[in-house]
Amino acid sequence: MNIYPELLETLIEYFKKLPGIGEKTAERYALSLINFEGDDLKDFASAIENIEGTLKKCDICGHLTDQKICKICEDSARNHNLICVVEDYKSIFMFEKTGKFSGVYHVLGGLISPIDGINPDDLNISKLINRTKELTEAEVIIALRPTIEGDTTTLYLKKILDKEKIKITRLSYGIPMGAEIDYLDILTLERALYDRKEVA
Amino acid sequence: MNIYPELLETLIEYFKKLPGIGEKTAERYALSLINFEGDDLKDFASAIENIEGTLKKCDICGHLTDQKICKICEDSARNHNLICVVEDYKSIFMFEKTGKFSGVYHVLGGLISPIDGINPDDLNISKLINRTKELTEAEVIIALRPTIEGDTTTLYLKKILDKEKIKITRLSYGIPMGAEIDYLDILTLERALYDRKEVA
């Protein structure tokens, strides 16, 4: 005999599909839904159901959007000669939170990884090349994670984009804010040394 | 300008209504929904929508159920002369997880708290009295939290139920499993001393 009514068991199963949620937390969330008031249950449910069909990829940059073109690509106040290349749309949300980037983005949709069978053709690269062809005095910032796959992809993009007349940069690697040097991993320290900057 | 498409913002707001979820976690959950496959989105949504209408209170004990009478009250294999009185249905799920209780339950739906304006009349007490009237040699276990409100309610129930010919017990208070005596609060230690049991 199940302890919970069937509907609750169903909800618990779905909450467990969310990242980092175990049995206990899923139970807590499912039970808390019972106390939702007014139209909250209906509205929450319809928001979940509407994900499919509402959210799609921006035709230009591949970012998540509910329009044909995303708000960032449509924003004429932004610098369209400065393209930040990211692995997925989650990175864009992070950059936007900093509020310090006024350019536009390009979502690759992954990283080159021969082991996993992901080749350059599987990524959103040709569109990036076409975008850069239309620009003059452009800069492409490659903002991928510092792993073998990220570095491979960065080098590949560098090779491809070098044919166009654009400046190609990458994010600096180094010590994360607040970290203690004593406890840093050696590789990060090595990168921080290599990427060192003149004190202005 | 919002960072997220409107639908994602809506989802994030709803996830934040769940207990203990902040902005960051809500964002993570909302974004992870995008990767749900097959009918999962639709089924998750309809489960949430169906809470209202499907889940109601058991006519006998007040427990959460999708039927008129809950599975526990309907189970003839259980001891219906042993009623465990709890504050809310969440306690029942906890007891059921122990797998050690073969009786039935009664949900009060709160605790007596004059400060919050909750009087005995606001609780599911009259039904409990009616239930006990039909029993012979019954035992009522009062399983409420050891707070002023819990103790007040326990004493009130004791006074009311004493008129019926039933045994009235409460959960033992004491040292939680695994706790270190040195770090226990004084009140718990006092209760553990008072509720001491003969070593069998």
Side-chain angles (χ1 to χ4, degrees):
Chain A
M1 192 169 87
N2 281 330
I3 292 175
Y4 296 105
E6 203 187 320
L7 184 65
L8 274 184
E9 295 279 358
T10 307
L11 280 168
I12 291 166
E13 285 314 306
Y14 281 115
F15 274 118
K16 275 162 69 183
K17 285 176 192 274
L18 296 176
I21 296 192
E23 188 74 33
K24 194 89 187 162
T25 311
E27 285 173 17
R28 195 166 166 227
Y29 291 164
L31 286 171
S32 76
L33 281 178
I34 297 171
N35 303 318
F36 269 38
E37 283 173 357
D39 282 337
D40 279 0
L41 280 180
K42 213 186 295 174
D43 294 346
F44 189 15
S46 76
I48 290 174
E49 204 179 345
N50 287 337
I51 287 176
E52 212 174 54
T54 304
L55 296 181
K56 39 193 176 268
K57 286 180 183 171
C58 167
D59 273 1
I60 296 174
C61 70
H63 185 34
L64 206 64
T65 177
D66 47 12
Q67 305 292 324
K68 223 176 123 63
I69 308 292
C70 76
K71 287 185 283 191
I72 296 168
C73 284
E74 271 203 332
D75 188 352
S76 59
R78 298 186 78 121
N79 180 359
H80 290 256
N81 278 316
L82 180 62
I83 301 177
C84 180
V85 176
V86 293
E87 180 182 343
D88 64 19
Y89 54 79
K90 287 177 196 168
S91 303
I92 298 184
F93 297 133
M94 291 302 289
F95 275 106
E96 288 301 291
K97 279 184 191 172
T98 69
K100 297 293 182 197
F101 182 70
S102 59
V104 293
Y105 298 93
H106 192 86
V107 178
L108 291 182
L111 297 174
I112 298 171
S113 173
I115 294 175
D116 302 311
I118 304 173
N119 299 310
D121 293 348
D122 301 316
L123 304 179
N124 187 19
I125 292 177
S126 58
K127 259 189 187 166
L128 173 64
I129 298 167
N130 289 338
R131 283 179 80 183
T132 56
K133 275 190 203 301
E134 290 164 15
L135 303 173
T136 45
E137 295 194 26
E139 177 179 346
V140 167
I141 305 171
I142 305 179
L144 305 175
R145 22 173 177 162
T147 59
I148 294 180
E149 290 79 14
D151 289 347
T152 307
T153 312
T154 300
L155 290 175
Y156 179 84
L157 290 174
K158 162 84 179 154
K159 211 181 74 186
I160 295 288
L161 295 172
D162 255 352
K163 296 169 198 160
E164 323 296 328
K165 281 182 217 93
I166 44 172
K167 188 174 165 187
I168 300 160
T169 55
R170 65 160 169 81
L171 294 186
S172 67
Y173 303 138
I175 306 164
M177 291 304 94
E180 287 192 51
I181 308 266
D182 298 9
Y183 293 101
L184 223 56
D185 62 301
I186 303 299
L187 216 63
T188 300
L189 199 58
E190 211 180 296
R191 294 282 209 161
L193 196 66
Y194 181 80
D195 271 13
R196 70 188 176 277
K197 285 197 72 167
E198 202 169 334
V199 180
Chain B
M1 190 170 84
N2 280 332
I3 291 174
Y4 295 106
E6 203 185 322
L7 183 64
L8 273 184
E9 294 279 359
T10 307
L11 280 168
I12 290 167
E13 284 316 305
Y14 281 115
F15 274 117
K16 274 163 69 183
K17 285 176 192 275
L18 296 176
I21 295 192
E23 187 76 34
K24 194 93 186 162
T25 312
E27 286 173 17
R28 194 166 166 228
Y29 291 164
L31 286 171
S32 76
L33 281 178
I34 297 170
N35 303 319
F36 270 35
E37 284 173 357
D39 283 335
D40 279 0
L41 280 179
K42 214 186 294 174
D43 294 346
F44 189 15
S46 75
I48 290 175
E49 206 179 345
N50 288 336
I51 285 177
E52 212 174 53
T54 304
L55 294 181
K56 40 192 174 273
K57 284 180 186 170
C58 168
D59 273 359
I60 297 174
C61 72
H63 185 34
L64 206 64
T65 177
D66 47 13
Q67 306 292 323
K68 223 174 124 61
I69 309 291
C70 78
K71 288 185 280 189
I72 296 168
C73 285
E74 271 203 332
D75 189 351
S76 58
R78 298 185 79 121
N79 181 359
H80 289 256
N81 278 316
L82 181 62
I83 301 177
C84 180
V85 176
V86 294
E87 180 183 343
D88 64 18
Y89 54 79
K90 287 177 196 167
S91 303
I92 298 185
F93 297 133
M94 290 303 288
F95 275 105
E96 289 298 293
K97 279 185 190 171
T98 70
K100 298 292 182 199
F101 182 68
S102 58
V104 293
Y105 298 93
H106 192 87
V107 178
L108 291 182
L111 297 173
I112 297 171
S113 173
I115 295 174
D116 302 312
I118 304 174
N119 299 309
D121 292 349
D122 300 318
L123 305 179
N124 187 19
I125 292 177
S126 56
K127 260 191 187 164
L128 173 64
I129 298 167
N130 289 337
R131 284 180 79 183
T132 56
K133 276 190 202 302
E134 291 164 15
L135 302 174
T136 45
E137 295 194 25
E139 177 179 346
V140 167
I141 306 171
I142 305 179
L144 305 174
R145 26 176 172 157
T147 59
I148 294 180
E149 290 79 14
D151 289 347
T152 307
T153 312
T154 299
L155 289 175
Y156 179 83
L157 290 175
K158 161 83 179 154
K159 212 182 72 185
I160 295 288
L161 295 172
D162 254 352
K163 297 169 197 161
E164 323 297 330
K165 282 182 217 93
I166 44 171
K167 188 172 165 190
I168 300 159
T169 56
R170 65 159 169 80
L171 293 186
S172 68
Y173 303 137
I175 306 162
M177 292 301 96
E180 287 192 50
I181 308 263
D182 298 11
Y183 293 102
L184 222 55
D185 63 301
I186 303 298
L187 217 61
T188 300
L189 199 57
E190 211 179 296
R191 294 280 210 163
L193 196 65
Y194 181 77
D195 271 13
R196 69 188 176 278
K197 285 197 73 169
E198 201 169 333
V199 179

